[in-house]
Amino acid sequence: MIYKSCREEILSTVKEILNEKGKDDFTIIEVLEAMNRNNTTYSEYTIRTHISSRCCSNAPNHHKIVFHDYYRIERGKYRLL
């Protein structure tokens, strides 16, 4: 088994979702459902925090280390950067 960080697993899942949808936006719910189907080891809280805060370019900075992977379009809806 290859270990992926939460960030890596989310990015991989988001890319799969966008490819399936043929659109450039996604919701946290879509990511949670897809990651649960793939038996993620990460909690819902951890996934939500990564998407909505730690990896979101236009979120307030509340973490020591942040990434600019997503842009929040509206509540619960994001775009991959």
Side-chain angles (χ1 to χ4, degrees):
M1 182 170 143
I2 298 173
Y3 172 78
K4 284 187 178 182
S5 70
C6 186
R7 178 179 177 234
E8 291 170 325
E9 192 172 323
I10 293 169
L11 279 168
S12 173
T13 302
V14 165
K15 289 174 184 176
E16 290 174 13
I17 291 169
L18 297 179
N19 188 42
E20 288 174 13
K21 289 174 60 173
K23 292 178 141 187
D24 65 353
D25 60 67
F26 65 94
T27 66
I28 290 178
I29 298 299
E30 290 172 322
V31 175
L32 289 169
E33 289 173 350
M35 288 179 72
N36 284 326
R37 279 193 305 273
N38 292 326
N39 299 312
T40 186
T41 59
Y42 297 102
S43 72
E44 177 179 336
Y45 177 78
T46 299
I47 296 165
R48 285 181 178 276
T49 299
H50 269 71
I51 296 171
S52 65
S53 183
R54 180 169 230 179
C55 299
C56 184
S57 66
N58 58 337
N61 186 355
H62 297 296
H63 304 279
K64 185 175 182 178
I65 299 172
V66 295
F67 304 95
H68 298 286
D69 298 326
Y70 314 111
Y71 181 84
R72 181 179 167 193
I73 301 168
E74 59 187 57
R75 183 180 171 102
K77 193 177 217 178
Y78 297 83
R79 177 173 293 127
L80 180 65
L81 294 178

